[in-house]
Each structure stands twice: as structure tokens, then as C-alpha cells.
Amino acid sequence: MTITQIMPLEHTKGKVQVSFDNSQTLILYKGELRKYGLQEQEPLSDERYHELYYEVVGKRAVKRAMHLLEKMDRTEGQLRKKLMEGGYPDDLIEQAVAYVKSYHYIDDDRYARTFVRLNQDRKSAARMKTDLLSKGVGMDVIERAIEEEMDTAPETLIQKMMQKKHFDPECATPKETAKMYQFLLRRGFCSSEIAHAIRDTDL
């Protein structure tokens, strides 16, 4: 194994990107360069490379994953994205994700259920599906969460939103009705649900 390049990272003080002749790159601290005596075009034993890869960077990936989850709950997809942004190799990302999943620090099913419970009074099922998909949650997980956790009918939710906006369809002008209609569309409700709720609303 030979080190082909050591390049300082821009806007990241104290870190460098180390490239090897096996096409792998690792992000290391400058102190680790000195500790392991790493220099460009110098050979590195398989044993030392294995130690750097798994014992140094691999363990750092797990710690980074734990730190990210301490700050806020995330989906598996969001966690993977953050670790990728940190420059961790794919197999070490998989290792870190598997570790935190084994302790249920990430659980997309739990995340989706919590998301539905917290948002069902202000978002439609369609909007929540879109939001959860963008966070990397699988459709099967999303649909199960909505089916089992959502207890507010679309028409009821629309009425609540109109009441919150102080919108009375019997008194509203065409312009005000159109504005409310567009607002509800952006929240993910379909045209038939909106029309039905507005027509049958008794505010």
C-alpha cells in the first residue's frame, strides 16, 4: 500500500485527505499523520492501513453518527447523507449505521409514526408522504405509519385550517376563496377534498 497524495482540506482546519494507490481516500487529522508517520509516496503496511481504516476512521464514523443522533432524531437516509458529507468510505458508513440501528438509535418506523402524530393536525397525508420520502423513509413504512397513526379525516383537517385562518366560505370573496384554495393545495390536499370541505363547511 502506497500513499499517493496528502492534501489539506479547504475550510477544515487540522484535517487532510489522504489518498492511497488502491483508490481509497481517508480524512485524517494532522496529528494522526504525525502519529503514523504518513508521507506522500511512502509505503504503508497492510496492518497499519487496516488500523487506520477500521480503528481510527471506522470508530470515528460511529462516534460521528452517535453525535448526530444526540443533536436530533434522524432517518437512516438523513444519517447516511451526513456521514457521506463527512467523507467517510461507504463500507464504514454501513458499519456505523448498522451499529446505531442495533441499539435502535435510528428507527425509520418510529420516526415516521412520530412525524405523523406531530403533523397530522396541519398537514395532509399526501404532504406528509412527500416530506417523509424526502427524508429517505421508505413508502411502505410511510403508508403504514399514516394508516395506523393518523386519526384526522382530510375534511376535518381542512375545516380546522380554515378556522385557524378565520376563513368563512359563505362570506369570502372569490379572491379570498381562491387564495384559501391555493393554500390548501400547497398543504397537500387534493381538489375534491378541498371543494367538498368548503362546500359543506358549517363555520
Side-chain angles (χ1 to χ4, degrees):
M1 188 75 63
T2 301
I3 298 170
T4 57
Q5 186 182 47
I6 298 176
M7 182 175 64
L9 292 178
E10 294 184 8
H11 312 302
T12 307
K13 186 177 180 180
K15 289 185 178 181
V16 296
Q17 178 177 283
V18 181
S19 301
F20 300 88
D21 60 0
N22 64 351
S23 300
Q24 185 61 268
T25 61
L26 296 177
I27 306 300
L28 299 174
Y29 287 98
K30 290 181 179 179
E32 291 165 345
L33 288 183
R34 294 190 293 269
K35 177 181 177 181
Y36 286 88
L38 305 182
Q39 296 182 27
E40 288 185 352
Q41 307 308 319
E42 290 290 329
L44 184 69
S45 69
D46 289 345
E47 181 180 356
R48 296 290 270 179
Y49 176 78
H50 187 280
E51 182 179 347
L52 271 174
Y53 195 84
Y54 293 103
E55 297 300 316
V56 176
V57 181
K59 288 184 176 180
R60 184 179 298 142
V62 172
K63 289 181 180 179
R64 176 60 176 161
M66 295 288 289
H67 177 70
L68 288 167
L69 295 172
E70 285 175 0
K71 296 178 68 175
M72 63 178 289
D73 198 14
R74 300 174 192 269
T75 67
E76 184 175 331
Q78 289 175 316
L79 181 61
R80 288 180 189 277
K81 182 179 179 181
K82 279 291 187 181
L83 292 174
M84 287 177 62
E85 291 171 354
Y88 294 100
D90 290 345
D91 60 331
L92 295 185
I93 291 175
E94 294 302 318
Q95 177 180 292
V97 170
Y99 178 86
V100 294
K101 283 181 71 175
S102 70
Y103 289 96
H104 298 284
Y105 293 131
I106 55 170
D107 186 328
D108 281 5
D109 183 68
R110 181 188 67 217
Y111 185 99
R113 289 174 182 276
T114 300
F115 186 90
V116 171
R117 286 196 298 270
L118 294 178
N119 289 278
Q120 63 177 310
D121 286 337
R122 59 190 183 91
K123 293 184 179 182
S124 68
R127 178 60 182 271
M128 287 192 287
K129 283 183 181 180
T130 300
D131 289 349
L132 286 168
L133 281 171
S134 71
K135 297 175 185 295
V137 181
M139 180 58 79
D140 57 333
V141 174
I142 296 171
E143 291 180 341
R144 183 169 60 248
I146 289 175
E147 179 182 352
E148 296 179 6
E149 299 294 336
M150 190 167 184
D151 56 15
T152 304
E155 291 81 4
T156 301
L157 182 51
I158 290 173
Q159 289 183 14
K160 286 183 178 180
M161 289 187 174
M162 289 192 298
Q163 289 173 339
K164 188 175 181 179
K165 292 285 187 179
H166 305 292
F167 174 81
D168 184 344
E170 294 185 0
C171 303
T173 65
K175 183 177 181 180
E176 290 170 338
T177 300
K179 184 177 180 181
M180 175 55 64
Y181 188 88
Q182 291 299 318
F183 169 78
L184 293 169
L185 280 177
R186 290 195 297 272
R187 290 298 182 275
F189 297 102
C190 65
S191 299
S192 60
E193 291 171 340
I194 298 170
H196 183 268
I198 290 179
R199 184 177 61 250
D200 296 342
T201 296
D202 181 20
L203 294 175

